Amino acid sequence: MNETVDQLLAGPPLGASEKELVDWISRLEEVKCAAEAVQAEAAVRLDEAVRVRQAEAGIPARKLGEGVASQVALARRVSPAKGAKLLGLAKILLAEMPHTFALMKAGLFSQWQATILARETACLSLEDRRVIDYQLCAPGPDGEPPAVVAMGLRQFENAAKKLAITLDQESVVARAANAEKDRRVSVRPAPDTMTWLGALLPVKDGVAVYAALDQAAMAARAAGDERTRGQVMADTLVDRITGRSTTGAKPRVEVKVVMTAEAMAADSDQPAMVEGYGPVPAAWAREALADAEVFMRRLFTDPAGQLVAMESRSRTAPEGLAEFITTRDGGICRTNGCDAPIRNVDHAQRHTDGGTTSAANLQGLCERCNQAKEALGWQARPGPDGSIITITPTGHTYVSPPPDTWTPDPPPLSLAEFVLRDLLLDHDLAA
Ligand SMILES: [Zn+2]
């Protein structure tokens, strides 16, 4: 496709094929990303021009730039607060994150993705921020786009968090301690006389609450409850907090922390992973593990490691292998751009098409993606580097990059050096 922006905006021609229609959608997405980059550039130049004019008019230095954010907000039809954030991001992009900005200009990165990276690097020095900008967003040796382009937002956020922790664990820990002070509960209206109840919590508590609700849902469904998973979780939340029903038993909540053996030793900078959340500093993990009743097991080392290397003859992944895949994929659906939690571990290449029940050919998918993949004309297969290649009915190919727990060689497909700790927290949710 070589259409100009004007041609793209005029819309696809009558009788366009399915492939052309998908191309049109994808090209317009690139135009939107590039437009956001140019908006950022214009905002920075506006800020510079206004400052020069104000200085010439004798306005004191501390007041220079006043009113620019509001002008940006009006022009972009957002609130003044949002305008200030957009102007702030624009300055960071142009001055401190050149590779991120270049990806946006090339149409491969959205303003929202850039916002996540700016946020995750906010506590770092300028030097460290530049390192992360380069490591995540610079093109490959042959000019190919970096892997972050295909990542889902959660996966991308995790990659940025991990790098930040690796570069400057101290700053990340200090910022986390400070953030805990902001814990709170909020409620806001939702359509159809519903409400959103939200809670900003330290990761250990938030993940534990969610895991407790998830476990209640699984138990209910196993007992034949016909409510959906979401319905049971919502009902259980209300029941336990309001004391509407008290089961008496304290729920035993399991939070999975995956870390390398090295990270368990003191003074390591390697991040740990909390399943359902993402990377945390090893120092934080060590402290949390010291706090709670901890059940530790080695994951997928001998003899269980053989299970991972071993192909299963059965059509469905055995439990240990399914858990391995979920941990390997970080608990997040492998579809590009999807951030939903994994609900199914299934074959990339179908069993009936000769796909094996092995770690290489299995992927963790959310319910929706697992269904989409079963639709007519969809295909998938594993790539040699641990990626999953999905081919849609129009022949478009999407590559899901390998998770960074992937260790290609040797041992293949093994998390042998990883240690999984289950954090068992006694959370009494009945207030
Ligand atoms: Zn999904």
CSV table of all heavy atoms in Angstrom, one decimal, residues 72-132:
chain,number,residue,atom,x,y,z
A,72,VAL,N,-2.8,24.1,24.6
A,72,VAL,CA,-2.7,22.7,24.1
A,72,VAL,C,-4.0,22.0,24.4
A,72,VAL,O,-4.5,21.3,23.6
A,72,VAL,CB,-1.4,22.0,24.7
A,72,VAL,CG1,-1.5,20.5,24.3
A,72,VAL,CG2,-0.1,22.6,24.2
A,73,ALA,N,-4.5,22.2,25.7
A,73,ALA,CA,-5.7,21.5,26.1
A,73,ALA,C,-6.9,21.9,25.2
A,73,ALA,O,-7.6,21.0,24.7
A,73,ALA,CB,-6.0,21.8,27.5
A,74,LEU,N,-7.0,23.2,25.0
A,74,LEU,CA,-8.2,23.6,24.1
A,74,LEU,C,-8.0,23.1,22.7
A,74,LEU,O,-9.0,22.7,22.1
A,74,LEU,CB,-8.2,25.2,24.1
A,74,LEU,CG,-8.7,25.8,25.4
A,74,LEU,CD1,-8.4,27.3,25.5
A,74,LEU,CD2,-10.2,25.6,25.6
A,75,ALA,N,-6.8,23.1,22.2
A,75,ALA,CA,-6.6,22.7,20.8
A,75,ALA,C,-6.8,21.2,20.7
A,75,ALA,O,-7.3,20.7,19.6
A,75,ALA,CB,-5.2,23.0,20.3
A,76,ARG,N,-6.5,20.4,21.7
A,76,ARG,CA,-6.7,19.0,21.7
A,76,ARG,C,-8.0,18.5,22.3
A,76,ARG,O,-8.3,17.3,22.4
A,76,ARG,CB,-5.5,18.3,22.3
A,76,ARG,CG,-4.2,18.5,21.5
A,76,ARG,CD,-3.2,17.5,21.8
A,76,ARG,NE,-3.5,16.1,21.5
A,76,ARG,CZ,-2.7,15.1,21.7
A,76,ARG,NH1,-1.5,15.3,22.1
A,76,ARG,NH2,-3.1,13.9,21.4
A,77,ARG,N,-8.8,19.5,22.7
A,77,ARG,CA,-10.2,19.2,23.3
A,77,ARG,C,-10.1,18.3,24.5
A,77,ARG,O,-10.8,17.3,24.5
A,77,ARG,CB,-11.1,18.6,22.2
A,77,ARG,CG,-11.5,19.7,21.2
A,77,ARG,CD,-12.3,19.1,20.1
A,77,ARG,NE,-11.7,19.0,18.8
A,77,ARG,CZ,-12.0,18.2,17.8
A,77,ARG,NH1,-13.1,17.4,18.0
A,77,ARG,NH2,-11.4,18.2,16.7
A,78,VAL,N,-9.2,18.6,25.4
A,78,VAL,CA,-9.1,17.8,26.7
A,78,VAL,C,-9.1,18.8,27.8
A,78,VAL,O,-9.0,20.0,27.6
A,78,VAL,CB,-7.8,16.9,26.7
A,78,VAL,CG1,-7.9,15.9,25.6
A,78,VAL,CG2,-6.6,17.8,26.5
A,79,SER,N,-9.1,18.3,29.0
A,79,SER,CA,-9.1,19.2,30.2
A,79,SER,C,-7.7,19.9,30.3
A,79,SER,O,-6.7,19.4,29.8
A,79,SER,CB,-9.4,18.4,31.5
A,79,SER,OG,-8.2,17.6,31.8
A,80,PRO,N,-7.7,21.0,31.0
A,80,PRO,CA,-6.4,21.7,31.2
A,80,PRO,C,-5.3,20.8,31.9
A,80,PRO,O,-4.2,20.8,31.6
A,80,PRO,CB,-6.7,22.9,32.1
A,80,PRO,CG,-8.1,23.1,31.9
A,80,PRO,CD,-8.8,21.8,31.6
A,81,ALA,N,-5.8,20.0,32.9
A,81,ALA,CA,-4.9,19.0,33.6
A,81,ALA,C,-4.3,18.0,32.6
A,81,ALA,O,-3.1,17.8,32.6
A,81,ALA,CB,-5.7,18.3,34.7
A,82,LYS,N,-5.1,17.5,31.7
A,82,LYS,CA,-4.6,16.6,30.7
A,82,LYS,C,-3.7,17.3,29.7
A,82,LYS,O,-2.7,16.8,29.3
A,82,LYS,CB,-5.9,16.0,30.0
A,82,LYS,CG,-5.5,15.1,28.8
A,82,LYS,CD,-5.4,13.7,29.2
A,82,LYS,CE,-5.0,12.9,27.9
A,82,LYS,NZ,-4.6,11.5,28.2
A,83,GLY,N,-4.0,18.6,29.4
A,83,GLY,CA,-3.2,19.4,28.5
A,83,GLY,C,-1.8,19.5,29.1
A,83,GLY,O,-0.8,19.4,28.4
A,84,ALA,N,-1.7,19.7,30.5
A,84,ALA,CA,-0.4,19.9,31.1
A,84,ALA,C,0.4,18.6,31.1
A,84,ALA,O,1.6,18.6,30.8
A,84,ALA,CB,-0.6,20.3,32.6
A,85,LYS,N,-0.4,17.5,31.2
A,85,LYS,CA,0.3,16.2,31.1
A,85,LYS,C,0.8,15.9,29.7
A,85,LYS,O,2.0,15.4,29.5
A,85,LYS,CB,-0.7,15.0,31.5
A,85,LYS,CG,-0.8,14.9,33.0
A,85,LYS,CD,-1.7,13.6,33.3
A,85,LYS,CE,-2.0,13.6,34.8
A,85,LYS,NZ,-3.2,12.9,35.1
A,86,LEU,N,0.0,16.3,28.7
A,86,LEU,CA,0.5,16.1,27.3
A,86,LEU,C,1.7,16.9,27.0
A,86,LEU,O,2.6,16.5,26.3
A,86,LEU,CB,-0.7,16.4,26.4
A,86,LEU,CG,-1.9,15.4,26.4
A,86,LEU,CD1,-3.0,15.9,25.6
A,86,LEU,CD2,-1.4,14.0,25.8
A,87,LEU,N,1.7,18.2,27.5
A,87,LEU,CA,2.8,19.0,27.2
A,87,LEU,C,4.1,18.5,27.9
A,87,LEU,O,5.2,18.5,27.4
A,87,LEU,CB,2.5,20.5,27.7
A,87,LEU,CG,3.6,21.5,27.5
A,87,LEU,CD1,4.0,21.6,26.1
A,87,LEU,CD2,3.2,22.9,28.1
A,88,GLY,N,3.9,18.0,29.2
A,88,GLY,CA,5.0,17.4,29.9
A,88,GLY,C,5.6,16.2,29.2
A,88,GLY,O,6.8,16.1,29.0
A,89,LEU,N,4.7,15.4,28.7
A,89,LEU,CA,5.1,14.2,27.9
A,89,LEU,C,5.9,14.6,26.7
A,89,LEU,O,6.9,14.1,26.3
A,89,LEU,CB,3.9,13.3,27.6
A,89,LEU,CG,4.3,12.1,26.7
A,89,LEU,CD1,5.1,11.1,27.5
A,89,LEU,CD2,3.0,11.4,26.2
A,90,ALA,N,5.3,15.6,26.0
A,90,ALA,CA,6.0,16.1,24.7
A,90,ALA,C,7.4,16.5,25.0
A,90,ALA,O,8.3,16.2,24.2
A,90,ALA,CB,5.1,17.2,24.1
A,91,LYS,N,7.6,17.3,26.1
A,91,LYS,CA,9.0,17.8,26.4
A,91,LYS,C,9.9,16.6,26.7
A,91,LYS,O,11.0,16.6,26.2
A,91,LYS,CB,8.9,18.7,27.6
A,91,LYS,CG,8.2,20.1,27.3
A,91,LYS,CD,8.2,20.9,28.6
A,91,LYS,CE,7.5,22.2,28.4
A,91,LYS,NZ,7.4,22.9,29.7
A,92,ILE,N,9.4,15.6,27.4
A,92,ILE,CA,10.2,14.5,27.8
A,92,ILE,C,10.6,13.7,26.5
A,92,ILE,O,11.7,13.3,26.3
A,92,ILE,CB,9.5,13.5,28.8
A,92,ILE,CG1,9.4,14.2,30.1
A,92,ILE,CG2,10.2,12.2,28.9
A,92,ILE,CD1,8.4,13.5,31.1
A,93,LEU,N,9.6,13.5,25.6
A,93,LEU,CA,9.8,12.8,24.4
A,93,LEU,C,10.9,13.4,23.5
A,93,LEU,O,11.8,12.7,23.0
A,93,LEU,CB,8.5,12.7,23.6
A,93,LEU,CG,7.5,11.6,24.0
A,93,LEU,CD1,6.2,11.8,23.3
A,93,LEU,CD2,8.1,10.2,23.8
A,94,LEU,N,10.8,14.7,23.4
A,94,LEU,CA,11.7,15.4,22.5
A,94,LEU,C,13.1,15.5,23.1
A,94,LEU,O,14.1,15.4,22.4
A,94,LEU,CB,11.2,16.7,22.0
A,94,LEU,CG,10.4,16.5,20.7
A,94,LEU,CD1,8.9,16.2,21.0
A,94,LEU,CD2,10.5,17.7,19.8
A,95,ALA,N,13.2,15.7,24.4
A,95,ALA,CA,14.5,16.0,25.0
A,95,ALA,C,15.2,14.8,25.6
A,95,ALA,O,16.4,14.7,25.6
A,95,ALA,CB,14.3,17.0,26.2
A,96,GLU,N,14.4,13.8,26.0
A,96,GLU,CA,15.0,12.7,26.8
A,96,GLU,C,14.8,11.3,26.2
A,96,GLU,O,15.4,10.3,26.6
A,96,GLU,CB,14.5,12.7,28.2
A,96,GLU,CG,14.7,14.0,28.9
A,96,GLU,CD,14.2,14.1,30.3
A,96,GLU,OE1,13.7,13.1,30.8
A,96,GLU,OE2,14.3,15.2,30.9
A,97,MET,N,13.8,11.1,25.3
A,97,MET,CA,13.5,9.8,24.8
A,97,MET,C,13.4,9.8,23.3
A,97,MET,O,12.3,9.6,22.7
A,97,MET,CB,12.1,9.3,25.4
A,97,MET,CG,12.2,9.2,26.9
A,97,MET,SD,10.6,9.0,27.8
A,97,MET,CE,10.1,7.4,27.1
A,98,PRO,N,14.5,10.0,22.6
A,98,PRO,CA,14.5,10.2,21.1
A,98,PRO,C,14.0,8.9,20.4
A,98,PRO,O,13.4,9.0,19.4
A,98,PRO,CB,16.0,10.5,20.8
A,98,PRO,CG,16.8,10.0,22.0
A,98,PRO,CD,15.9,10.2,23.2
A,99,HIS,N,14.4,7.7,20.9
A,99,HIS,CA,14.0,6.5,20.2
A,99,HIS,C,12.5,6.3,20.3
A,99,HIS,O,11.9,5.8,19.3
A,99,HIS,CB,14.8,5.3,20.7
A,99,HIS,CG,16.2,5.4,20.5
A,99,HIS,ND1,16.8,5.3,19.2
A,99,HIS,CD2,17.3,5.7,21.3
A,99,HIS,CE1,18.1,5.5,19.2
A,99,HIS,NE2,18.4,5.7,20.5
A,100,THR,N,11.9,6.6,21.5
A,100,THR,CA,10.5,6.4,21.6
A,100,THR,C,9.8,7.4,20.7
A,100,THR,O,8.8,7.0,20.0
A,100,THR,CB,10.1,6.8,23.1
A,100,THR,OG1,10.9,6.0,24.0
A,100,THR,CG2,8.6,6.5,23.3
A,101,PHE,N,10.3,8.6,20.6
A,101,PHE,CA,9.7,9.6,19.7
A,101,PHE,C,9.8,9.2,18.3
A,101,PHE,O,8.8,9.3,17.5
A,101,PHE,CB,10.4,10.9,19.9
A,101,PHE,CG,9.8,12.0,19.1
A,101,PHE,CD1,8.5,12.5,19.3
A,101,PHE,CD2,10.5,12.6,18.1
A,101,PHE,CE1,8.0,13.5,18.5
A,101,PHE,CE2,10.0,13.7,17.3
A,101,PHE,CZ,8.7,14.1,17.5
A,102,ALA,N,10.9,8.6,17.9
A,102,ALA,CA,11.1,8.1,16.5
A,102,ALA,C,10.1,7.0,16.2
A,102,ALA,O,9.5,7.0,15.1
A,102,ALA,CB,12.5,7.6,16.3
A,103,LEU,N,9.8,6.1,17.1
A,103,LEU,CA,8.9,5.0,16.9
A,103,LEU,C,7.5,5.6,16.7
A,103,LEU,O,6.7,5.1,15.8
A,103,LEU,CB,8.8,4.1,18.1
A,103,LEU,CG,9.8,3.0,18.2
A,103,LEU,CD1,9.5,2.1,19.4
A,103,LEU,CD2,9.9,2.1,16.9
A,104,MET,N,7.1,6.6,17.5
A,104,MET,CA,5.8,7.3,17.3
A,104,MET,C,5.7,7.9,15.9
A,104,MET,O,4.8,7.7,15.2
A,104,MET,CB,5.6,8.4,18.3
A,104,MET,CG,5.2,7.9,19.7
A,104,MET,SD,5.1,9.3,20.9
A,104,MET,CE,3.5,10.0,20.4
A,105,LYS,N,6.8,8.6,15.5
A,105,LYS,CA,6.8,9.3,14.2
A,105,LYS,C,6.7,8.3,13.1
A,105,LYS,O,6.1,8.5,12.0
A,105,LYS,CB,8.1,10.1,14.0
A,105,LYS,CG,7.8,11.6,14.3
A,105,LYS,CD,8.9,12.5,13.8
A,105,LYS,CE,8.2,13.6,13.0
A,105,LYS,NZ,9.1,14.8,12.8
A,106,ALA,N,7.3,7.1,13.3
A,106,ALA,CA,7.2,6.0,12.3
A,106,ALA,C,5.8,5.4,12.3
A,106,ALA,O,5.6,4.4,11.5
A,106,ALA,CB,8.3,5.0,12.5
A,107,GLY,N,5.0,5.8,13.2
A,107,GLY,CA,3.6,5.2,13.2
A,107,GLY,C,3.5,3.9,14.0
A,107,GLY,O,2.5,3.2,13.9
A,108,LEU,N,4.6,3.5,14.7
A,108,LEU,CA,4.6,2.2,15.3
A,108,LEU,C,4.3,2.2,16.8
A,108,LEU,O,4.2,1.2,17.5
A,108,LEU,CB,6.0,1.6,15.1
A,108,LEU,CG,6.3,1.3,13.7
A,108,LEU,CD1,7.8,0.9,13.6
A,108,LEU,CD2,5.4,0.3,13.1
A,109,PHE,N,4.2,3.4,17.4
A,109,PHE,CA,4.0,3.6,18.9
A,109,PHE,C,3.0,4.6,19.2
A,109,PHE,O,3.1,5.7,18.6
A,109,PHE,CB,5.4,3.9,19.4
A,109,PHE,CG,5.8,3.2,20.7
A,109,PHE,CD1,5.7,1.8,20.7
A,109,PHE,CD2,6.3,3.9,21.7
A,109,PHE,CE1,6.0,1.1,21.9
A,109,PHE,CE2,6.7,3.2,22.9
A,109,PHE,CZ,6.6,1.8,23.0
A,110,SER,N,2.1,4.4,20.1
A,110,SER,CA,1.1,5.4,20.4
A,110,SER,C,1.5,6.3,21.5
A,110,SER,O,2.5,6.0,22.2
A,110,SER,CB,-0.2,4.7,20.8
A,110,SER,OG,-0.1,4.1,22.0
A,111,GLN,N,0.8,7.4,21.6
A,111,GLN,CA,1.1,8.3,22.7
A,111,GLN,C,0.9,7.6,24.1
A,111,GLN,O,1.6,7.9,25.0
A,111,GLN,CB,0.1,9.5,22.6
A,111,GLN,CG,0.1,10.5,23.7
A,111,GLN,CD,-0.9,11.5,23.4
A,111,GLN,OE1,-0.8,12.4,22.5
A,111,GLN,NE2,-2.0,11.5,24.1
A,112,TRP,N,-0.1,6.7,24.1
A,112,TRP,CA,-0.3,6.0,25.4
A,112,TRP,C,0.9,5.1,25.8
A,112,TRP,O,1.3,5.0,26.9
A,112,TRP,CB,-1.6,5.2,25.3
A,112,TRP,CG,-1.9,4.5,26.6
A,112,TRP,CD1,-2.2,3.2,26.8
A,112,TRP,CD2,-2.1,5.1,27.9
A,112,TRP,NE1,-2.4,2.9,28.1
A,112,TRP,CE2,-2.4,4.1,28.8
A,112,TRP,CE3,-1.9,6.4,28.4
A,112,TRP,CZ2,-2.5,4.3,30.2
A,112,TRP,CZ3,-2.1,6.7,29.7
A,112,TRP,CH2,-2.4,5.6,30.6
A,113,GLN,N,1.4,4.4,24.8
A,113,GLN,CA,2.6,3.6,25.0
A,113,GLN,C,3.8,4.5,25.5
A,113,GLN,O,4.5,4.1,26.4
A,113,GLN,CB,3.0,2.8,23.7
A,113,GLN,CG,2.1,1.7,23.4
A,113,GLN,CD,2.3,1.1,22.0
A,113,GLN,OE1,2.1,1.9,21.1
A,113,GLN,NE2,2.6,-0.1,21.9
A,114,ALA,N,4.0,5.6,24.9
A,114,ALA,CA,5.0,6.5,25.3
A,114,ALA,C,4.8,7.0,26.7
A,114,ALA,O,5.7,7.2,27.5
A,114,ALA,CB,5.1,7.7,24.3
A,115,THR,N,3.5,7.3,27.0
A,115,THR,CA,3.2,7.7,28.4
A,115,THR,C,3.6,6.7,29.4
A,115,THR,O,4.1,7.0,30.5
A,115,THR,CB,1.6,8.0,28.5
A,115,THR,OG1,1.3,8.9,27.5
A,115,THR,CG2,1.3,8.5,29.9
A,116,ILE,N,3.3,5.4,29.1
A,116,ILE,CA,3.7,4.3,30.1
A,116,ILE,C,5.2,4.3,30.3
A,116,ILE,O,5.7,4.2,31.4
A,116,ILE,CB,3.2,3.0,29.5
A,116,ILE,CG1,1.7,2.9,29.5
A,116,ILE,CG2,3.9,1.8,30.3
A,116,ILE,CD1,1.1,1.6,28.9
A,117,LEU,N,5.9,4.5,29.2
A,117,LEU,CA,7.4,4.4,29.3
A,117,LEU,C,7.9,5.6,30.1
A,117,LEU,O,8.8,5.5,31.0
A,117,LEU,CB,8.1,4.4,27.9
A,117,LEU,CG,9.5,4.0,27.9
A,117,LEU,CD1,9.7,2.6,28.7
A,117,LEU,CD2,10.0,3.9,26.5
A,118,ALA,N,7.3,6.8,29.9
A,118,ALA,CA,7.7,8.0,30.6
A,118,ALA,C,7.4,7.8,32.1
A,118,ALA,O,8.2,8.2,33.0
A,118,ALA,CB,7.0,9.2,30.1
A,119,ARG,N,6.3,7.2,32.4
A,119,ARG,CA,5.9,7.1,33.8
A,119,ARG,C,6.8,6.1,34.5
A,119,ARG,O,7.2,6.3,35.6
A,119,ARG,CB,4.4,6.5,33.8
A,119,ARG,CG,3.8,6.4,35.2
A,119,ARG,CD,2.4,5.8,35.1
A,119,ARG,NE,2.5,4.4,34.7
A,119,ARG,CZ,1.6,3.7,34.1
A,119,ARG,NH1,0.4,4.2,33.7
A,119,ARG,NH2,1.8,2.4,33.7
A,120,GLU,N,7.1,5.0,33.8
A,120,GLU,CA,7.9,3.9,34.5
A,120,GLU,C,9.3,4.3,34.6
A,120,GLU,O,10.1,3.7,35.4
A,120,GLU,CB,7.8,2.6,33.7
A,120,GLU,CG,6.4,1.9,33.7
A,120,GLU,CD,5.9,1.7,35.1
A,120,GLU,OE1,6.7,1.4,36.0
A,120,GLU,OE2,4.7,1.8,35.3
A,121,THR,N,9.8,5.4,33.9
A,121,THR,CA,11.1,5.8,34.1
A,121,THR,C,11.2,7.2,34.8
A,121,THR,O,12.3,7.8,34.9
A,121,THR,CB,11.8,6.0,32.7
A,121,THR,OG1,11.0,6.9,31.9
A,121,THR,CG2,11.9,4.7,31.9
A,122,ALA,N,10.1,7.6,35.4
A,122,ALA,CA,10.0,8.9,36.0
A,122,ALA,C,10.9,9.0,37.2
A,122,ALA,O,11.5,10.1,37.5
A,122,ALA,CB,8.6,9.3,36.4
A,123,CYS,N,11.1,7.9,37.9
A,123,CYS,CA,11.9,8.0,39.2
A,123,CYS,C,13.4,7.9,38.9
A,123,CYS,O,14.3,7.9,39.8
A,123,CYS,CB,11.5,7.0,40.2
A,123,CYS,SG,11.8,5.3,39.7
A,124,LEU,N,13.8,7.7,37.6
A,124,LEU,CA,15.2,7.4,37.3
A,124,LEU,C,16.0,8.6,36.9
A,124,LEU,O,15.4,9.7,36.6
A,124,LEU,CB,15.3,6.4,36.1
A,124,LEU,CG,14.5,5.1,36.3
A,124,LEU,CD1,14.7,4.2,35.1
A,124,LEU,CD2,15.1,4.3,37.5
A,125,SER,N,17.3,8.5,36.9
A,125,SER,CA,18.1,9.6,36.4
A,125,SER,C,17.9,9.8,34.9
A,125,SER,O,17.5,8.8,34.2
A,125,SER,CB,19.6,9.4,36.7
A,125,SER,OG,20.0,8.3,35.9
A,126,LEU,N,18.3,10.9,34.4
A,126,LEU,CA,18.1,11.1,32.9
A,126,LEU,C,19.0,10.1,32.2
A,126,LEU,O,18.5,9.6,31.2
A,126,LEU,CB,18.6,12.6,32.6
A,126,LEU,CG,18.7,12.9,31.1
A,126,LEU,CD1,17.4,12.7,30.4
A,126,LEU,CD2,19.2,14.3,30.9
A,127,GLU,N,20.1,9.8,32.7
A,127,GLU,CA,21.0,8.8,32.1
A,127,GLU,C,20.3,7.4,32.0
A,127,GLU,O,20.3,6.8,30.9
A,127,GLU,CB,22.3,8.7,32.9
A,127,GLU,CG,23.4,8.1,32.2
A,127,GLU,CD,24.6,7.9,33.1
A,127,GLU,OE1,24.5,8.2,34.3
A,127,GLU,OE2,25.6,7.4,32.6
A,128,ASP,N,19.7,7.0,33.1
A,128,ASP,CA,19.1,5.7,33.1
A,128,ASP,C,17.8,5.7,32.2
A,128,ASP,O,17.5,4.7,31.5
A,128,ASP,CB,18.6,5.3,34.5
A,128,ASP,CG,19.8,4.8,35.3
A,128,ASP,OD1,20.9,4.5,34.7
A,128,ASP,OD2,19.7,4.8,36.6
A,129,ARG,N,17.1,6.8,32.2
A,129,ARG,CA,16.0,6.9,31.3
A,129,ARG,C,16.4,6.8,29.8
A,129,ARG,O,15.8,6.1,29.0
A,129,ARG,CB,15.3,8.2,31.5
A,129,ARG,CG,14.1,8.5,30.5
A,129,ARG,CD,13.4,9.8,30.8
A,129,ARG,NE,12.2,9.5,31.5
A,129,ARG,CZ,11.4,10.5,32.1
A,129,ARG,NH1,11.8,11.7,32.0
A,129,ARG,NH2,10.3,10.2,32.7
A,130,ARG,N,17.5,7.4,29.5
A,130,ARG,CA,18.0,7.3,28.1
A,130,ARG,C,18.4,5.8,27.8
A,130,ARG,O,18.2,5.4,26.6
A,130,ARG,CB,19.2,8.2,27.9
A,130,ARG,CG,18.8,9.7,27.9
A,130,ARG,CD,19.7,10.5,26.9
A,130,ARG,NE,19.1,11.7,26.6
A,130,ARG,CZ,19.6,12.9,27.0
A,130,ARG,NH1,20.7,12.9,27.7
A,130,ARG,NH2,19.0,14.0,26.6
A,131,VAL,N,19.0,5.1,28.8
A,131,VAL,CA,19.4,3.7,28.5
A,131,VAL,C,18.1,2.9,28.2
A,131,VAL,O,18.1,2.1,27.3
A,131,VAL,CB,20.1,3.2,29.8
A,131,VAL,CG1,20.3,1.7,29.7
A,131,VAL,CG2,21.4,3.8,30.0
A,132,ILE,N,17.1,3.1,29.0
A,132,ILE,CA,15.8,2.3,28.8
A,132,ILE,C,15.2,2.7,27.4
A,132,ILE,O,14.7,1.9,26.7
A,132,ILE,CB,14.8,2.5,29.9
A,132,ILE,CG1,15.4,1.9,31.2
A,132,ILE,CG2,13.5,2.0,29.6
A,132,ILE,CD1,14.6,1.9,32.4
